[in-house]
Amino acid sequence: MGARISLTAGFVSVAAGALVGTLLGLVAGYYEGWWDRAIMRLCDVLFAFPGILLAIGIVAILGSGMANVIIAVAVFSIPTFARLVRGNTLSLKHLTYVEAARSIGASDATIILRHIFPGTISAVVVYFSMRIGTSIITAASLSFLGMGAQPPTPEWGAMLNEARADMMTAPHVAIFPALAIFVTVLAFNLLGDGLRDALDPKIEQK
Amino acid sequence: MLQYIAKRLAGLAPTLFIVAVLVFLFVHLLPGDPARLAAGQDATPETVELVRQDLGLDKPLPEQFARFVSGALRGDFGRSLRTKRPVGTEIAERFMPTFWLTVTSMSWSVIFGMGIGVLSAVWRNRWPDRVGMTLAVSGISFPAFALGMVLMEVFAVQLNWLPTVGADSWRHYVLPSLTLGAAVAAIMARFTRSSFVDILQEDYIRTARAKGLPESAVVAKHGLRNALIPVVTMMGLQFGFLLGGSIVVEVVFNWPGLGRLLVDAVGMRDYPVIQALVLLFSLEFILINLIVDVLYGLINPTIRYR
């Protein structure tokens, strides 16, 4: 039960953040100029809030609850994806095959989606898998602080918060949710490391 | 160099301005009427109206924003809705415990993390590397609040070596700073290792070895200085992580700092406090990043600032 909530929260929030971030990054990198400045300024502002502070601020506005935590964590992932994709787009769009596509009269949308987007996918996938771990921890932290899922919803962070009162008599109530978070996040982090080694062309095969 | 710093400070202005606008709008984005929130649940409509005038919420938005900014510049953020004391005083009282907690966590985790990273890179794919990297990947996967609970249970409750909550002596700092620094140490270790592994492949390292320098001198003089450049950048980013992480850790250890003040304020919808804290946290973060950029130039002579 708790697994479903925590995993969904981690996955959905990163997916939403990655989608918006990738779109913004593509637009910023491809059109440059005014779009680029506006989007990167927005990212700077989002980056100006350290760690989970941004998420806490959003939850303070929207009110506590699991859905709002997911929105908060998603917003918190947008700028990193936007920067990553923008950097890739900037270098990709000067390549010959993109120029070729433009010279045969392909529209901007076609060039972005068919020719540039595939080139950014591997970086996004690697980052995506590494980010899920962080997001699960962030979502669990917010619930632990009482801003996310409310007991008795068996979200892992909320379970730990509840178990805190009974640490003396029933430590196992705290140990198992903690282990569950640890093992899940560890799995996603190792997956991310593996994917990075496999997909990142910058790392030579040694 | 000074010119560069001045230019960077000027570049911060637009970001700071937008942050200030967002923080200001925060009150107006809150669900419900802020005047009613301030007056309390069972205030009469007349009282709410008085509170609205008192807080200046009946004025047009630009005027309110000007008031907010000039107040913020003078350190005046109004009064806390919960304690009725000035927000500035509340924050000043809580600032030092959080500051020291962040500093102690950062110090141990950077030293420890870089140590593990260098050892792992030098003995790559041998047992020190395996042990170090297993510790590091566990470190980034274990949530801080769970680690804090485990440490508190074992060392404070079961073994009774260290105090559980509060911030009165250095012994109170041990467990919270261990908890807060663990993830940072792990990230620093991984990052130092990968940066060092790259450096050790460079030609100048081979040259240093070829001219017969002992391996320790090669690592310490030729390797470390060059590997430090990306590591310092990483440190800056980690500071933001620490500021955010301190919020969670302070709740676990009942620490009398800014993080817990923020969580309590969110729980009570004490918006003047939330506003001031969010502004303070992001200001700190922006300034730290600036300092890191400047440091970056000092240790890397190949960068010329224009």
Side-chain angles (χ1 to χ4, degrees):
Chain A
M1 243 321 252
R4 199 170 78 192
I5 300 166
S6 294
L7 282 173
T8 317
F11 192 83
V12 172
S13 57
V14 189
L19 188 74
V20 178
T22 306
L23 276 176
L24 288 178
L26 283 171
V27 171
Y30 186 77
Y31 292 104
E32 290 188 60
W34 193 86
W35 278 102
D36 187 30
R37 276 200 294 280
I39 290 172
M40 284 304 115
R41 178 62 65 204
L42 177 78
C43 289
D44 281 347
V45 170
L46 291 181
F47 267 125
F49 298 100
I52 62 173
L53 185 69
L54 183 63
I56 291 181
I58 295 171
V59 171
I61 294 169
L62 299 175
S64 45
M66 211 52 211
N68 295 336
V69 166
I70 292 175
I71 297 174
V73 179
V75 173
F76 164 69
S77 325
I78 290 175
T80 25
F81 280 103
R83 284 226 168 145
L84 185 76
V85 172
R86 171 181 175 267
N88 271 325
T89 309
L90 279 176
S91 56
L92 283 173
K93 79 169 186 185
H94 294 296
L95 294 185
T96 335
Y97 76 90
V98 175
E99 244 172 74
R102 195 175 300 131
S103 66
I104 60 171
S107 68
D108 282 354
T110 318
I111 294 177
I112 292 179
L113 291 177
R114 299 278 306 271
H115 301 279
I116 293 181
F117 176 61
T120 64
I121 279 187
S122 72
V124 170
V125 166
V126 170
Y127 202 74
F128 189 89
S129 61
M130 304 231 249
R131 194 76 200 182
I132 289 181
T134 323
S135 294
I136 291 178
I137 289 188
T138 311
S141 303
L142 287 171
S143 294
F144 178 78
L145 296 177
M147 297 175 190
Q150 302 296 323
T153 318
E155 201 274 341
W156 291 336
M159 284 165 82
L160 268 171
N161 192 18
E162 259 190 303
R164 213 148 57 117
D166 308 317
M167 274 300 267
M168 305 287 272
T169 47
H172 64 277
V173 184
I175 290 169
F176 288 103
L179 266 181
I181 301 179
F182 173 61
V183 172
T184 314
V185 176
L186 184 67
F188 278 113
N189 283 335
L190 291 175
L191 176 72
D193 283 358
L195 279 175
R196 184 189 54 201
D197 292 347
L199 293 178
D200 191 346
K202 269 182 288 183
I203 296 176
E204 301 161 39
Q205 304 292 319
K206 282 168 198 141
Chain B
M1 196 64 188
L2 278 175
Q3 217 179 347
Y4 169 74
I5 299 175
K7 199 179 153 193
R8 279 294 312 262
L9 277 174
L12 286 182
T15 311
L16 269 180
F17 180 75
I18 303 177
V19 169
V21 171
L22 282 183
V23 170
F24 164 73
L25 285 178
F26 176 81
V27 176
H28 299 270
L29 291 171
L30 279 176
D33 180 357
R36 172 156 286 283
L37 267 172
Q41 275 305 313
D42 26 54
T44 57
E46 292 78 37
T47 324
V48 174
E49 207 45 53
L50 276 174
V51 169
R52 192 189 313 281
Q53 280 170 19
D54 187 37
L55 293 173
L57 288 167
D58 52 344
K59 307 256 171 34
L61 272 182
E63 196 186 325
Q64 282 189 49
F65 181 66
R67 265 178 57 145
F68 169 70
V69 171
S70 73
L73 288 175
R74 282 180 281 120
D76 175 16
F77 289 97
R79 282 169 183 275
S80 158
L81 300 184
R82 192 165 44 120
T83 59
K84 309 291 175 207
R85 296 166 59 211
V87 175
T89 321
E90 291 264 328
I91 289 180
E93 275 171 16
R94 306 287 201 106
F95 185 77
M96 287 326 273
T98 297
F99 176 75
W100 286 117
L101 180 62
T102 320
V103 170
T104 46
S105 312
M106 196 71 192
S107 325
W108 86 260
S109 58
V110 165
I111 295 168
F112 195 70
M114 278 175 56
I116 288 190
V118 171
L119 291 180
S120 294
V122 173
W123 281 283
R124 189 148 71 99
N125 295 334
R126 307 248 299 279
W127 70 265
D129 184 21
R130 303 233 187 274
V131 173
M133 286 306 111
T134 310
L135 265 178
V137 80
S138 311
I140 55 170
S141 306
F142 210 82
F145 55 91
L147 181 65
M149 285 169 71
V150 171
L151 287 178
M152 186 148 73
E153 178 68 19
V154 174
F155 292 101
V157 178
Q158 302 291 342
L159 296 171
N160 216 355
W161 288 353
L162 294 159
T164 44
V165 294
D168 304 320
S169 70
W170 67 269
R171 296 173 67 227
H172 287 93
Y173 278 82
V174 178
L175 293 181
S177 61
L178 271 180
T179 310
L180 185 53
V184 176
I187 296 173
M188 292 304 290
R190 279 160 64 99
F191 201 74
T192 311
R193 178 186 179 273
S194 72
S195 156
F196 223 88
V197 164
D198 288 346
I199 296 282
L200 289 179
Q201 318 256 330
E202 295 283 348
D203 289 342
Y204 55 81
I205 293 290
R206 203 174 48 205
T207 312
R209 281 189 183 132
K211 70 178 186 188
L213 282 183
E215 186 66 20
S216 60
V218 173
V219 169
K221 284 190 69 178
H222 298 254
L224 199 57
R225 179 129 189 230
N226 288 295
L228 223 53
I229 294 163
V231 170
V232 167
T233 321
M234 201 61 193
M235 248 172 77
L237 290 176
Q238 289 314 307
F239 242 108
F241 182 87
L242 273 187
L243 286 174
S246 67
I247 298 171
V248 178
V249 173
E250 283 181 11
V251 170
V252 176
F253 288 96
N254 215 4
W255 196 259
L258 296 176
R260 218 185 77 216
L261 185 63
L262 177 65
V263 173
D264 290 347
V266 170
M268 306 290 287
R269 329 215 64 184
D270 191 350
Y271 71 83
V273 177
I274 305 178
Q275 233 178 2
L277 281 174
V278 171
L279 199 63
L280 182 69
F281 271 113
S282 46
L283 187 67
E284 267 180 68
F285 189 44
I286 292 173
L287 285 179
I288 288 166
N289 279 329
L290 177 72
I291 295 171
V292 167
D293 278 354
V294 172
L295 272 182
Y296 194 81
L298 286 179
I299 57 168
N300 187 359
T302 58
I303 293 181
R304 292 275 171 269
Y305 293 113
R306 251 159 266 130

